[in-house]
Amino acid sequence: MATVSIKNAIKTYPGNVQALHGISIDIKDGELIVIVGPSGCGKSTMLRMVAGLETVTSGDIHINEEWVNKKEPADRDIAMVFQNYALYPHMSVYQNMAYGLKNRKIPKDQIEQRVRETAKILELENLLVRKPKELSGGQRQRVAMGRAIVREPKVFLFDEPLSNLDAKLRVQMRLEIKRLQERLGVTTIYVTHDQVEAMTLGHRLLLMNEGRVEQIGTPLEVYEKPQTLFVAGFIGSPSMNIIPAVLSSNGDLALLGDSLSLPLTHSENSANSDSQVTLGMRPEHLEACESEKASMFLQVEMLEKLGADTVVYGKLEQTELVLTVRLSGIHPVVSGDRLPLTIPSEHLHIFEIDSGKRLN
Ligand SMILES: Nc1ncnc2c1ncn2[C@@H]1O[C@H](COP(=O)(O)OP(=O)(O)OP(=O)(O)O)[C@@H](O)[C@H]1O
Ligand SMILES: [Mg+2]
């Protein structure tokens, strides 16, 4: 059992590549933290620093209150599962799982007990004699996890462990990892660039962009109150609609010429009146309504009828701004329609133009 504390971690690679600009987070015992962000934002660097595979340029890493910056990876009591799970091809599943324990001179009967227990949890009992090449991708992934679990580490580190699997298997393994982490209660840091994986797995998410923290919060906090424009665009599918707007002089309307007029919840709104802002509206929060009640009209161009939802694409009337709308069920709208839309004011997201910081 362990806590992990990262304080102002900075990483500069040789050649003056600034990968991390000061990352801080306190991870609770038993928590599953997902680090999520686009390619190259520094996720693996962060994880490898916790593992001890990468030096820390400055800042502090503590595992269970112990300062580990200078500690060897082998002495940190952590287990890491990578994207290419790198099983030993000439060894059986059993041998692959037992290998790390043998190296640590653990008695044979204890090794056997741990491997068999872990194999049972992961439903690998019938595969213990097979070689990796005789396994499916998902089974190999489970062996890689088994190898980490048998070591009974204080912390699990996962670096995109599912990205080599097909979509269906990925969903299945995602559930398995969640169940396993809950059952074992081991503090876990999980890296992914997949926002759906992040939302479904994490107790909390750390959203990273270009080596900086954009937001730390539960999946719901991040979805409902994205603190930056980057987070707003990154979390949610289809992505949030982002358009320019101006706040009315008394600050209770967001306007875009004659195309848009939306009431705001005044009390929460810390923006100056008459100021230019960026407005965010999630596709699933836009509602089709009667023309008289519309805050805007969509010139419908394209439709995706998915059964459970209808995704509508079009332009905000009198503008070139493209909007996506997700209506529930099978909606009778057709291409060429003028679709009246409204959105409840609690679902409006307002951001400062320059900084991209949330204003409401
Ligand atoms: N050994 C290295 N030497 C120099 N630069 C590096 C090194 N490793 C990573 N970088 C750079 O540091 C930045 C962060 O890389 P990192 O691998 O942490 O990103 P990532 O978020 O894991 O990306 P991905 O999702 O593609 O795996 C990138 O700009 C990368 O090019
Ligand atoms: Mg990476």
Side-chain angles (χ1 to χ4, degrees):
M1 291 293 152
T3 57
V4 178
S5 153
I6 299 163
K7 283 247 155 21
N8 205 17
I10 291 177
K11 177 68 185 181
T12 309
Y13 283 111
N16 205 22
V17 179
Q18 306 262 333
L20 301 176
H21 297 271
I23 304 281
S24 300
I25 184 170
D26 284 313
I27 304 173
K28 292 176 223 141
D29 182 29
E31 194 172 26
L32 198 171
I33 286 282
V34 178
I35 302 181
V36 61
S39 182
C41 73
K43 304 180 296 294
S44 296
T45 301
M46 193 60 254
L47 205 66
R48 291 169 60 80
M49 277 177 19
V50 175
L53 300 170
E54 207 65 77
T55 55
V56 182
T57 307
S58 75
D60 300 295
I61 298 180
H62 289 83
I63 298 177
N64 265 349
E65 319 275 306
E66 185 195 357
W67 190 72
V68 296
N69 283 43
K70 302 272 183 239
K71 211 170 174 180
E72 287 299 315
D75 301 331
R76 293 194 187 193
D77 221 347
I78 49 158
M80 189 149 168
V81 180
F82 297 93
Q83 171 179 355
N84 55 347
Y85 15 90
L87 301 175
Y88 300 109
H90 57 287
M91 292 186 191
S92 68
V93 168
Y94 184 95
Q95 289 165 330
N96 263 288
M97 284 168 67
Y99 186 74
L101 301 182
K102 259 195 203 153
N103 269 358
R104 285 200 281 162
K105 310 263 184 301
I106 289 173
K108 211 173 164 195
D109 54 332
Q110 264 189 47
I111 295 181
E112 165 129 19
Q113 194 197 345
R114 280 207 219 167
V115 171
R116 293 208 178 273
E117 272 175 17
T118 306
K120 197 166 168 195
I121 295 173
L122 292 168
E123 293 176 28
L124 290 169
E125 292 158 292
N126 300 326
L127 304 173
L128 287 171
V129 296
R130 296 226 198 140
K131 297 275 170 61
K133 68 169 188 302
E134 298 161 339
L135 301 174
S136 72
Q139 290 166 339
R140 274 181 226 163
Q141 187 57 48
R142 268 186 275 160
V143 177
M145 284 203 286
R147 205 166 47 174
I149 293 168
V150 289
R151 292 179 42 200
E152 298 177 356
K154 286 204 211 107
V155 181
F156 281 137
L157 304 178
F158 290 97
D159 195 351
E160 312 232 11
L162 307 183
S163 54
N164 280 341
L165 305 178
D166 67 44
K168 191 168 163 220
L169 200 54
R170 220 159 43 214
V171 173
Q172 205 178 317
M173 290 300 294
R174 193 167 82 201
L175 288 173
E176 229 162 282
I177 289 179
K178 194 176 169 75
R179 210 176 298 136
L180 205 65
Q181 199 272 341
E182 261 161 32
R183 173 168 171 180
L184 301 173
V186 178
T187 311
T188 301
I189 309 178
Y190 187 105
V191 161
T192 180
H193 61 263
D194 178 347
Q195 55 107 6
V196 178
E197 215 166 282
M199 291 294 280
T200 50
L201 264 180
H203 295 139
R204 283 191 299 160
L205 315 185
L206 186 164
L207 276 111
M208 262 173 83
N209 183 29
E210 297 184 347
R212 292 191 168 81
V213 175
E214 292 274 337
Q215 188 168 354
I216 296 173
T218 65
L220 273 189
E221 282 165 358
V222 164
Y223 173 82
E224 287 176 345
K225 287 240 180 286
Q227 291 305 308
T228 67
L229 200 52
F230 172 84
V231 174
F234 194 81
I235 296 290
S237 175
S239 295
M240 187 186 279
N241 296 296
I242 309 275
I243 62 170
V246 178
L247 300 184
S248 63
S249 48
N250 57 1
D252 57 7
L253 286 175
L255 304 165
L256 182 62
D258 294 332
S259 304
L260 177 100
S261 172
L262 289 163
L264 299 174
T265 16
H266 192 58
S267 53
E268 291 179 49
N269 180 14
S270 65
N272 296 324
S273 55
D274 278 329
S275 58
Q276 308 250 3
V277 294
T278 303
L279 189 66
M281 302 183 284
R282 295 202 182 277
E284 59 272 34
H285 293 149
L286 286 161
E287 297 168 4
C289 62
E290 312 271 315
S291 291
E292 308 81 70
K293 294 187 183 138
S295 314
M296 68 199 103
F297 289 88
L298 187 76
Q299 212 55 58
V300 176
E301 294 179 343
M302 225 170 57
L303 297 157
E304 286 170 353
K305 305 212 173 192
L306 304 174
D309 317 296
T310 305
V311 183
V312 187
Y313 303 90
K315 287 199 178 120
L316 182 63
E317 196 171 59
Q318 297 178 39
T319 74
E320 288 299 307
L321 299 166
V322 178
L323 293 187
T324 307
V325 183
R326 196 163 111 201
L327 304 172
S328 64
I330 300 167
H331 198 274
V333 61
V334 294
S335 162
D337 275 1
R338 181 175 185 248
L339 183 68
L341 291 170
T342 179
I343 182 168
S345 53
E346 71 264 25
H347 288 314
L348 291 175
H349 306 267
I350 302 169
F351 303 95
E352 202 170 69
I353 288 191
D354 294 332
S355 66
K357 293 226 162 72
R358 184 181 190 88
L359 290 170
N360 65 333

